[in-house]
Amino acid sequence: MAQAFKRFVPIADRILVQKLKADVKSAGGIILPDAAKQEVNQATVLAIGLGRVMKNGETLPMSTKVGDTVVIPRYGGTELKLDGEEYQIYREEDIVGIINAE
């Protein structure tokens, strides 16, 4: 099932992302072996929680939205596997930034 992630609903300030795939070819067209591929630190946001609940009870809205491409830390997050696909869950404060389309 290609849409298995839709069964998962993040709570609070958590974000479900899927890492972008590493390039299999170099800029010159050479096919790269697995050992030469660099780990990608970018991901697509698939689902978001409602936001962080502050001490006064107000909910701070999320600054990311579904479909955003974000920069994620190399380490951290929680891995989640649904129907053979790998996903990661991060708190919004762990997201380094959003990459805007040109």
Side-chain angles (χ1 to χ4, degrees), residues 5-20:
F5 69 87
K6 289 187 176 184
R7 296 188 318 232
F8 180 82
V9 179
I11 58 172
D13 65 337
R14 289 180 175 78
I15 300 173
L16 177 70
V17 299
Q18 187 171 33
K19 286 185 179 180
L20 298 178

Side-chain angles (χ1 to χ4, degrees), residues 19-33:
K19 286 185 179 180
L20 298 178
K21 306 290 183 207
D23 289 335
V24 292
K25 286 187 179 181
S26 69
I30 298 171
I31 296 177
L32 299 171

Side-chain angles (χ1 to χ4, degrees), residues 37-97:
K37 293 178 190 173
Q38 293 182 347
E39 186 175 340
V40 177
N41 68 338
Q42 297 177 11
T44 302
V45 176
L46 302 176
I48 61 172
L50 296 176
R52 173 179 282 185
V53 178
M54 306 302 285
K55 290 182 181 181
N56 63 4
E58 292 183 27
T59 301
L60 184 65
M62 302 288 274
S63 58
T64 58
K65 61 186 182 299
V66 173
D68 281 348
T69 300
V70 295
V71 178
I72 55 175
R74 178 172 289 198
Y75 303 105
T78 302
E79 292 186 14
L80 175 67
K81 202 168 203 175
L82 294 171
D83 293 343
E85 290 285 325
E86 291 185 14
Y87 305 97
Q88 288 75 34
I89 304 165
Y90 291 94
R91 288 188 176 273
E92 185 178 40
E93 65 189 26
D94 294 335
I95 301 298
V96 178

